[in-house]
Amino acid sequence: MGKGPAKLTDREYKVMEVLWNSEKDLTINEISELSDDRKLTVACIAQVIPRLLKKELIRVEKFIPVNTKYARTFRPEISREDYSEGELLRLLQKTGTKAIISALVNFTTINTDKEFLQDLEASIEEYIRKKKG
């Protein structure tokens, strides 16, 4: 995908989440079975899949026999991390770095403050190392 990941609707994201959490390629029925969302029915997923294919976020992996017919299996074309990075970059362009950092700091809880700050420090150190080297 050339210009970065396409924005996902809530339902598209839920389908992608099931695919990201799976070690193997899945059929529409398997996606429905593995989803925690009861609204993610086979019929709903059947409508979402063509949009994800068009956005080039998933691919047809193979055709497998199911009863007397064949079913397609699907795999993500983008990792959860790459998608999240694209969404964050899109948000950064709209709001700016200071707003993002402020939001992250304000939404952390007392239990996660220390871990959050450690992760932030590690990320900054890694960024500085990459810039120098």
Side-chain angles (χ1 to χ4, degrees):
M1 294 183 48
K3 60 181 180 182
K7 188 171 169 76
L8 294 173
T9 65
D10 288 342
R11 286 203 175 143
E12 290 169 346
Y13 187 85
K14 288 176 182 179
V15 170
M16 289 299 296
E17 200 168 36
V18 173
L19 290 169
W20 284 325
N21 290 333
S22 176
E23 299 274 329
K24 66 180 195 90
D25 45 309
L26 300 172
T27 65
I28 289 174
N29 285 341
E30 291 169 329
I31 294 168
S32 180
E33 290 168 8
L34 292 171
S35 174
D36 294 336
D37 186 350
R38 297 182 89 125
K39 293 180 183 176
L40 214 56
T41 63
V42 171
C44 173
I45 296 166
Q47 291 178 347
V48 170
I49 290 291
R51 296 195 309 254
L52 292 173
L53 286 166
K54 186 174 181 178
K55 292 178 180 182
E56 298 178 2
L57 295 173
I58 63 171
R59 70 176 183 270
V60 175
E61 187 68 14
K62 62 187 173 211
F63 290 85
I64 60 168
V66 177
N67 298 326
T68 59
K69 299 180 181 182
Y70 281 86
R72 298 178 296 173
T73 63
F74 303 94
R75 296 275 312 153
E77 278 287 323
I78 186 171
S79 70
R80 182 192 321 257
E81 293 76 17
D82 287 345
Y83 176 76
S84 297
E85 185 177 300
E87 283 294 285
L88 184 57
L89 288 174
R90 190 181 347 263
L91 194 55
L92 273 168
Q93 290 171 346
K94 288 181 180 179
T95 63
T97 306
K98 189 173 181 178
I100 297 295
I101 292 172
S102 176
L104 286 171
V105 170
N106 289 328
F107 284 114
T108 59
T109 64
I110 293 170
N111 295 336
T112 60
D113 278 347
K114 187 174 182 180
E115 183 181 340
F116 169 74
L117 291 174
Q118 289 171 341
D119 289 345
L120 186 57
E121 287 173 358
S123 295
I124 291 168
E125 289 171 7
E126 182 181 338
Y127 175 78
I128 291 170
R129 271 196 308 276
K130 285 181 180 178
K131 282 291 191 180
K132 286 182 180 178

